[in-house]
Amino acid sequence: MYIYADDILPRAVTAALNLDYDTMAGADKFGNLYLTRLPAEISSRIEDDPTGGKLVGVTGILNGAPNK
């Protein structure tokens, strides 16, 4: 599994469902429901990447934490 996107809020996820290739629905232990979606430009970069998105973390595109 590769991280393509980070949420700005830490969540205690209890359920997750992929709605389509770019959208995910989830629920946390506090009863909150949320939807997250990849921006179109990131989605197209992943689809066009010949390595299958394996170099996303190495290139620093998302500027996420290095030790997730």
Side-chain angles (χ1 to χ4, degrees):
M1 180 186 334
Y2 301 100
I3 298 174
Y4 292 111
D6 268 340
D7 195 353
I8 59 171
L9 297 172
R11 299 181 189 270
V13 177
T14 58
L17 175 67
N18 290 332
L19 299 177
D20 60 20
Y21 289 111
D22 299 331
T23 311
M24 185 199 102
D28 64 13
K29 70 178 187 178
F30 303 109
N32 299 315
L33 299 174
Y34 59 91
L35 295 171
T36 57
R37 185 167 177 86
L38 281 177
E41 68 179 44
I42 299 295
S43 179
S44 65
R45 283 186 191 175
I46 294 168
E47 289 174 8
D48 296 338
D49 187 4
T51 65
K54 295 177 183 172
L55 298 177
V56 171
V58 176
T59 58
I61 293 172
L62 296 175
N63 297 327
N67 55 355
K68 278 208 162 203

